[in-house]
Structure formats: C-alpha cells, structure tokens
Amino acid sequence: NLYSSVMTSLEALGVSVVVSAGNDSMAVNTPANCSNVIAVGGLRHTGTQADQKRSGGSAEAGMRAN
C-alpha cells in the first residue's frame, strides 16, 4: 500500500507523522491505521470521546475541543 510505504520511509528519515483518525464514527482507515503514524481523535471539553470520532482502538491520542 502506498500510504504504508510512505510512512515507513518517513520514519526511516526520523519524521514523526501525526494524522486525524477521522470524523465519521467508523473504523480508522488509511493513513491513520498505518504503522509508524500517530493517529489522533477528538474529545469533548469534558474529556469524553467526541460523537463523530472514529473508533476501533486505533487512535493513539485525543485532543480536547474547546
């Protein structure tokens, strides 16, 4: 897969890639599900998962929306 190849090449160069997990409440897909990326999703101001955030256990971090 092209995304995976690019992410692996970037990691070899020492680049950290951060991508959105997505916004349609479905499973996380490319490029967020590639190895060597940091996938982030949205959280409410209370710290709970935003309704539209993708799920499936693949998001590694959450960012609170103010």
Side-chain angles (χ1 to χ4, degrees), residues 1-46:
N1 155 334
L2 178 61
Y3 281 116
S4 293
S5 176
V6 169
M7 299 307 160
T8 300
S9 297
L10 290 170
E11 182 190 37
L13 294 171
V15 176
S16 296
V17 178
V18 181
V19 297
S20 169
N23 289 326
D24 60 7
S25 300
M26 297 178 66
V28 176
N29 59 21
T30 55
N33 67 355
C34 293
S35 297
N36 313 318
V37 302
I38 300 166
V40 298
L43 301 176
R44 291 185 187 88
H45 68 286
T46 59

